[in-house]
Amino acid sequence: MSLGPDLAQAWHCPAAAVRARLPARAHPAKEAALDGTTDWDLLLARANAGDAAAFLRFLTEVTPPLRGLIRARGRGLPPDLHEDILQEVLLAIHLKRHSWTPGHPVRPWLYAVARHKVVDAFRRRGHRLHLPLEDVAEVLAAEADPAPLAAHDADRMLGMIDARSAALVRAVRLEGHSTEDAARGLGLSAGAARVALHRAMKRLSELAERMK
Amino acid sequence: MTNRPSTEDLIHRLATAPPPARLSGRGTASLMLGAVGLALALFLTLAGPRADLLPALADPQVLAKLILPLVLAPLALMLALRSARPGVGLPLGLLALPALAAVGLFGARLVQTPPGLVLPGIMGHSAAACLLSITALSAPALLLGLILFRRGAALRPALTGGLVGLAASAAATAGYALYCTEDSPLFFTLWYGLAMAICTAAGAVAGRRLLRW
């Protein structure tokens, strides 16, 4: 995944963006956790360690891209069946979640499981489906990019948090300024700005969660 | 309209469902090893290891028929485990190493053998017993392995089943080699190899049905 300057990217991968800009900062996993971001690897690792909330979040986040994939591929089938197939895939993700090897990226695992179940589901319903793995990866990656926040109007969301935090998020995440520059513009220390940015991103994620 | 629950309900139910079974590499290896070990212990108690076991092991060819399957068994099991874990690389080419070593042993012995003795060397005197014993000794571990591997996510069930069969039969072969007195690579590479191929095929056929998900 390239770190493009586009909006969806900036919203989707705040942790990655922060890492790219501030390479000296702490350890990636910790960073992602602090940021309240939606790192699938971290979520599934926690889920497999027994964290039901993390698994709920993981399933919730992979569902829209999976639904998109099934819709895009299953035009020959009645749309009513699409949701059935989606549920079969989600069930398989649950039943086979321990077959993901911690330390390996989640996405290739997810693509392989999804492809296996989707092809199987279509076959059982009498439709031969040719679905190369690259296609699954492509559709899921494309669908996965708009993060919860990007699904809503960014300005409306920023209007729901305090003005200084909103200005900070706008400067760093939307306009691509460094945290230090943004802090100076707002009369904050760099450290205070980083903390405020973390809190703001977390608050925005929660808002997005609620607005779903 | 179908009566299915909403996807959101399903997600909530899955998140709070009891955790699914886990295919543990170490657990699978120990249980399969236990199954082969029990079968071999019974066999070697009844039939007894070869009388000249210790002196025979000084012969590199005898050592090879023990060591090659001992290398192959964990390799095949490692590959089987990887094949049941999507998103992980599957270096099947590694299987070529023991196979090439066996072919090399066979070839080296072949060129040293006078033409008239090649066929008797290949046929030996216990080919049927060898095939039968190795397949029988592998069967419990193969069955157990297939049951355990149902917890994995084999994207190619026949391949995974075949690798489980190969792992079980390689372990059984190593034990059988303690009993078998046929020390010519002309005999053992061919018949041990054939016995393992039979178990691999059996594993593949069974895996195709048992390891689907």
Side-chain angles (χ1 to χ4, degrees), chain A residues 82-103:
Chain A
H82 291 176
E83 207 66 9
D84 286 352
I85 295 174
L86 173 65
Q87 296 193 0
E88 284 171 26
V89 173
L90 291 171
L91 182 63
I93 288 174
H94 164 63
L95 290 174
K96 300 300 183 187
R97 60 188 160 130
H98 285 302
S99 71
W100 169 60
T101 315

Side-chain angles (χ1 to χ4, degrees), chain A residues 68 92 151 170:
Chain A
R170 200 183 299 276

Side-chain angles (χ1 to χ4, degrees), chain A residues 48-192:
Chain A
N48 279 353
D51 181 344
F55 193 47
L56 178 66
R57 185 131 172 238
F58 179 77
L59 288 176
T60 308
E61 285 185 17
V62 300
T63 292
L66 288 174
R67 187 180 279 130
L69 172 80
I70 293 163
R71 259 185 213 152
R73 295 286 143 181
R75 293 202 190 89
L77 284 174
D80 200 40
L81 280 179
H82 291 176
E83 207 66 9
D84 286 352
I85 295 174
L86 173 65
Q87 296 193 0
E88 284 171 26
V89 173
L90 291 171
L91 182 63
I93 288 174
H94 164 63
L95 290 174
K96 300 300 183 187
R97 60 188 160 130
H98 285 302
S99 71
W100 169 60
T101 315
H104 283 70
V106 146
R107 279 163 205 266
W109 174 84
L110 182 68
Y111 301 158
V113 170
R115 173 178 178 269
H116 184 77
K117 287 312 288 183
V118 169
V119 170
D120 183 57
F122 278 89
R123 185 172 40 215
R124 274 188 288 111
R125 289 170 177 83
H127 284 252
R128 191 178 292 239
L129 178 70
H130 177 67
L131 183 54
L133 191 56
E134 300 74 51
D135 281 20
V136 183
E138 208 172 278
V139 173
L140 288 188
E143 291 273 340
D145 268 351
L149 289 179
H152 308 283
D153 180 21
D155 281 313
R156 192 158 66 95
M157 302 266 319
L158 287 175
M160 294 164 81
I161 60 176
D162 69 284
R164 196 164 66 170
S165 301
L168 194 58
V169 171
R170 200 183 299 276
V172 176
R173 290 289 150 78
L174 298 188
E175 292 160 17
H177 295 293
S178 73
T179 317
E180 283 77 0
D181 286 348
R184 221 169 298 133
L186 293 164
L188 288 167
S189 76

